Amino acid sequence: MKKPLIGISSCLLGNNVRYDGTHKKYNWVVDELSLYADFHPICPEMEMGLGVPRETVRLEKKEKDGPVQMVSNKNKTNLTQLAKDTANVLYESLPSHLDGFILKKDSPSCGPERVKIYYKDMPFEKGAGIFADHLLKKSLDYPIIHEGRLHNPELREDFIIRVWGHFNVHKLKAKISDIQNFHKKYKFVLLSFDEPSFRELGRISANNKNREPEEVLQLYQKTFMQALFQTRTRKKQANALQHIYGFLKNELKEKEKKNILKLIDRYKENNLPFVALATMMQHLIDISSNDYIKDQYYFFPYPEELELFLDL
Ligand code: SF4
């Protein structure tokens, strides 16, 4: 079965492409994520022809308000133009169906943020590496993250939801009933990111304006990814959970109803981890006779085996 495709800095996959012939293997990506996603590795510095081993490079400015340059640390070779040209070639050769990108943090080539920029041999300010900067300026509709942020369980889950969201929404065919069905399944995921976007997507998929299906699909895909780029908060999650509860309550006893509402409040007030509430809600969904709620993506809009919410 086809899997999402994620661009990635090659050293994170365990390839020995760093300046000293080592790697920066990210175990979770290699051992777990790779079971469910495919990767497109890139190494801008290898692509520049610098080889292994090579001189280390850094970003610097000659003038305080001058342009950022890439310079080799020992021989002081100015590699800026080569790095920019290579970034352009690498970008143009990326597969058109990427669903996300994982970049190596702090790298003068791959780091998307907070990479040191030197002035007169002292760290002066921070910015993006040359390849990352090129990628970030393209206003892509898939998520881009560095591996440092993947250590944070909430940011990791957000990234994975966006990757699978991008993958799933781009698998859709230009058929109105398919788009409506997709929208129905993603209801609670969308509510947990942004309720106004969920309602807007409902209007788009209803197609009251009688647009061509291809136009509806493109508008839906664009708005859907914009929705997933909103910030999830406990308040929004609690709102989605209350909606789910609304579909389950008729099958619950009074004591169970009170208990669930209390737990949702405790979660909203940051007094309960998500996993505790999610485990109970999932159990109730499993034993429910409500097919609509069983069919929802809410708890696992990605492969369940990744078990991401256990740390939330
Ligand atoms: S950080 Fe980027 S340029 Fe450096 S070794 Fe890794 S993939 Fe190559």
Side-chain angles (χ1 to χ4, degrees):
M1 203 177 81
K2 208 168 163 268
K3 299 171 181 176
L5 181 64
I6 302 174
I8 187 164
S9 295
S10 183
C11 54
L12 293 173
L13 285 181
N15 296 324
N16 295 322
V17 291
R18 296 186 77 222
Y19 68 96
D20 56 357
T22 61
H23 58 76
K24 280 282 181 183
K25 181 179 166 195
Y26 193 88
N27 289 336
W28 176 75
V29 165
V30 176
D31 300 338
E32 295 184 46
L33 187 56
S34 67
L35 301 176
Y36 309 101
D38 290 325
F39 295 108
H40 177 81
I42 54 103
C43 176
E45 290 173 26
M46 289 296 278
E47 201 67 27
M48 284 162 72
L50 301 182
V52 167
R54 59 180 175 269
E55 261 192 77
T56 53
V57 297
R58 73 179 187 189
L59 300 179
E60 62 178 48
K61 282 183 164 187
K62 301 280 181 229
E63 312 291 335
K64 273 188 178 175
D65 53 359
V68 176
Q69 306 193 338
M70 178 184 276
V71 179
S72 69
N73 275 319
K74 194 170 153 215
N75 291 328
K76 301 291 172 203
T77 311
N78 190 329
L79 298 164
T80 316
Q81 198 53 51
L82 176 61
K84 286 187 174 179
D85 292 346
T86 305
N88 191 39
V89 170
L90 259 183
Y91 175 75
E92 293 301 329
S93 63
L94 290 177
S96 58
H97 56 290
L98 281 182
D99 297 301
F101 223 111
I102 303 174
L103 291 163
K104 175 75 193 74
K105 74 177 179 126
D106 300 333
S107 156
S109 297
C110 292
E113 57 174 332
R114 301 178 64 77
V115 179
K116 282 182 194 152
I117 300 171
Y118 290 81
Y119 172 67
K120 292 195 172 172
D121 283 334
M122 295 290 288
F124 170 62
E125 58 186 19
K126 292 184 175 172
I130 304 268
F131 173 74
D133 188 52
H134 192 84
L135 193 67
L136 291 167
K137 282 182 176 147
K138 297 293 179 184
S139 311
L140 300 161
D141 70 338
Y142 54 71
I144 299 172
I145 198 167
H146 66 67
E147 92 287 4
R149 288 188 177 274
L150 287 176
H151 291 300
N152 177 315
E154 286 176 12
L155 298 180
R156 177 185 288 192
E157 201 203 25
D158 281 354
F159 175 74
I160 292 298
I161 289 174
R162 289 171 185 142
V163 165
W164 258 266
H166 189 272
F167 175 66
N168 288 331
V169 83
H170 283 275
K171 271 197 307 192
L172 271 176
K173 301 268 184 304
K175 193 172 162 200
I176 300 297
S177 59
D178 285 4
I179 299 169
Q180 288 171 345
N181 198 30
F182 178 91
H183 183 66
K184 204 165 74 179
K185 285 187 170 194
Y186 258 99
K187 171 176 177 172
F188 299 114
V189 176
L190 289 165
L191 276 180
S192 70
F193 278 89
D194 191 45
E195 186 162 354
S197 297
F198 164 70
R199 309 231 168 267
E200 174 62 15
L201 285 160
R203 286 189 284 277
I204 294 169
S205 59
N207 198 20
N208 293 335
K209 294 190 176 169
N210 279 323
R211 294 182 173 106
E212 287 300 316
E214 188 56 46
E215 192 188 345
V216 174
L217 179 62
Q218 284 179 17
L219 191 56
Y220 189 90
Q221 287 169 329
K222 186 172 164 226
T223 314
F224 177 82
M225 287 314 297
Q226 283 169 349
L228 292 192
F229 275 99
Q230 302 298 315
T231 308
R232 276 194 308 170
T233 60
R234 282 192 172 235
K235 195 174 162 198
K236 291 183 196 174
Q237 291 268 52
N239 177 36
L241 288 161
Q242 270 159 351
H243 276 82
I244 294 173
Y245 162 79
F247 285 88
L248 296 171
K249 67 180 179 187
N250 289 343
E251 297 180 282
L252 301 175
K253 298 190 181 105
E254 280 313 307
K255 201 174 163 196
E256 289 171 322
K257 289 184 198 173
K258 274 190 196 149
N259 195 19
I260 291 171
L261 289 173
K262 203 163 90 188
L263 290 178
I264 293 176
D265 274 348
R266 281 182 59 196
Y267 165 74
K268 190 172 160 184
E269 286 155 16
N270 216 359
N271 290 322
L272 188 75
F274 183 72
V275 62
L277 188 53
T279 306
M280 194 187 65
M281 295 290 270
Q282 272 180 283
H283 172 68
L284 294 176
I285 291 170
D286 283 347
I287 59 172
S288 165
S289 58
N290 188 319
D291 288 337
Y292 175 78
I293 206 76
K294 281 178 185 290
D295 220 21
Q296 286 290 326
Y297 278 142
Y298 181 67
F299 288 110
F300 297 110
Y302 47 76
E304 185 174 342
E305 297 80 1
L306 283 170
E307 295 188 326
L308 296 181
F309 77 85
L310 289 183
D311 297 322
L312 297 174

